[in-house]
Amino acid sequence: MKKRITLAFCILMFVFLAGGCIDELVPVDQQTSMGDISVYEFEAFTNYSFIDEEFIPTSTFYLTGEGLTKAVYMVENESVIDIIPLEDLRSSNEDPVNNIVVLGDYSSNLEASVTTFMNLSSSVEPAYINYTLSEDVIRGQKHIYITFSEPITGFVAFTMTTPRGQDFLHITTPPSVVRFVLPEGYTTGNPLIGKTTPGPDDTYYDSSGRKNLVWVNQGTATGSITERLQIFSNNTISQVNQAPRAISIKYYSESAPMGLMAAGGILGLAAFLVLSRSRRERKRLARIRESVEESFPGKDKNKKGKN
């Protein structure tokens, strides 16, 4: 009997230890995968990327009205990309970053230049670059890291979930160039509906009729996330350009202001009609009261006689 108990105990210990070993072998990081290149636009946006022949990392965010944002980074000799996702606590099981695509090569094989990015932008096949995707929480803020086995130069694209819908926030790490591309038929800037904070350094429309907003931050990368979030439009452009900053945008359909005015007009008209009707009803009741009082002429005399 004692032998059976001892044998059962040994079996249970073996199962427990084996289970623990198996759990330790489960990888935490997601490994390299080939993404879908067809969903991205790889534009060699070099308007502000090269200043005094020095390359400035450029990030372009193609915003949509469908709860997704497609990000395309232009990088040089970059080993890690730090992404601060906007999380939706109601759907925590969804991956905030997915469909990672790399167009480029290891920096030892490629030099950053306008010609290089122009050539890469016409590529039809993603490059097979080794990377891992990992997560960390720093000061209560979730970070997602795309870590490459060696520094790379080229385009890195990925899709982010935007649970706030038509409300997007990005924290820059200077020096950097940041561009937001709004969906066709959308705009921003109305203080009642939505605006950008801080205001962009450049605004224009591309060949597809989409509004583009550009921020150029040539400062040095210092300060914590909290310090970055504290820097907004109250600063001057020269002050903002010297430190990391948070860029927030609220965008809306170009017809939204007209719809808002129409809705305001309808509500105003409805309020006017209600007030007018109420006033008419009070006047009508006053006339009825006067008519009833006039139909009893002896009422006042009786009151006087009693006095």
Side-chain angles (χ1 to χ4, degrees), residues 53-86:
E53 299 184 355
E54 292 291 331
F55 174 76
I56 298 179
T58 300
S59 307
T60 299
F61 297 92
Y62 296 89
L63 308 177
T64 70
E66 303 169 354
L68 296 174
T69 295
K70 297 173 183 177
V72 179
Y73 282 31
M74 294 170 54
V75 298
E76 176 192 22
N77 197 34
E78 191 65 69
S79 298
V80 180
I81 293 180
D82 182 2
I83 305 168
I84 302 177
L86 302 176

Side-chain angles (χ1 to χ4, degrees), residues 133-152:
L133 187 65
S134 58
E135 298 180 1
D136 195 6
V137 177
I138 301 175
R139 298 182 181 178
Q141 175 63 60
K142 184 175 182 179
H143 291 247
I144 295 180
Y145 299 101
I146 303 176
T147 305
F148 304 100
S149 58
E150 297 179 27
I152 70 164

Side-chain angles (χ1 to χ4, degrees), residues 219-230:
T220 56
T222 58
S224 63
I225 293 298
T226 304
E227 292 170 341
R228 297 180 194 182
L229 290 172
Q230 291 174 348

Side-chain angles (χ1 to χ4, degrees), residues 11-221:
I11 293 174
L12 288 175
M13 288 297 295
F14 175 79
V15 172
F16 177 80
L17 293 174
C21 293
I22 292 173
D23 288 342
E24 290 176 0
L25 294 175
V26 175
V28 176
D29 297 344
Q30 297 183 18
Q31 302 298 320
T32 302
S33 61
M34 302 292 284
D36 183 6
I37 191 175
S38 63
V39 302
Y40 297 115
E41 298 179 45
F42 294 96
E43 178 187 352
F45 183 70
T46 57
N47 298 34
Y48 304 94
S49 298
F50 291 89
I51 298 179
D52 297 330
E53 299 184 355
E54 292 291 331
F55 174 76
I56 298 179
T58 300
S59 307
T60 299
F61 297 92
Y62 296 89
L63 308 177
T64 70
E66 303 169 354
L68 296 174
T69 295
K70 297 173 183 177
V72 179
Y73 282 31
M74 294 170 54
V75 298
E76 176 192 22
N77 197 34
E78 191 65 69
S79 298
V80 180
I81 293 180
D82 182 2
I83 305 168
I84 302 177
L86 302 176
E87 292 187 273
D88 187 357
L89 299 178
R90 296 169 299 177
S91 56
S92 57
N93 293 330
E94 295 184 4
D95 293 332
V97 175
N98 57 77
N99 191 29
I100 300 173
V101 172
V102 179
L103 291 183
D105 202 345
Y106 297 112
S107 297
S108 57
N109 303 326
L110 197 62
E111 181 181 355
S113 67
V114 175
T115 303
T116 296
F117 287 107
M118 290 291 291
N119 293 336
L120 290 174
S121 65
S122 60
S123 301
V124 294
E125 291 292 335
Y128 188 83
I129 301 293
N130 292 324
Y131 70 83
T132 57
L133 187 65
S134 58
E135 298 180 1
D136 195 6
V137 177
I138 301 175
R139 298 182 181 178
Q141 175 63 60
K142 184 175 182 179
H143 291 247
I144 295 180
Y145 299 101
I146 303 176
T147 305
F148 304 100
S149 58
E150 297 179 27
I152 70 164
T153 295
F155 292 96
V156 179
F158 53 89
T159 300
M160 304 174 60
T161 57
T162 50
R164 299 180 184 179
Q166 294 164 212
D167 191 355
F168 185 72
L169 172 70
H170 175 65
I171 300 175
T172 67
T173 303
S176 64
V177 176
V178 177
R179 179 173 60 140
F180 288 173
V181 180
L182 304 186
E184 185 177 357
Y186 283 74
T187 188
T188 186
N190 189 305
L192 297 178
I193 304 178
K195 61 180 182 178
T196 60
T197 306
D201 299 319
D202 188 17
T203 302
Y204 66 94
Y205 285 86
D206 59 21
S207 58
S208 300
R210 299 174 301 185
K211 192 170 186 176
N212 288 234
L213 303 96
V214 182
W215 291 262
V216 182
N217 189 356
Q218 301 179 38
T220 56

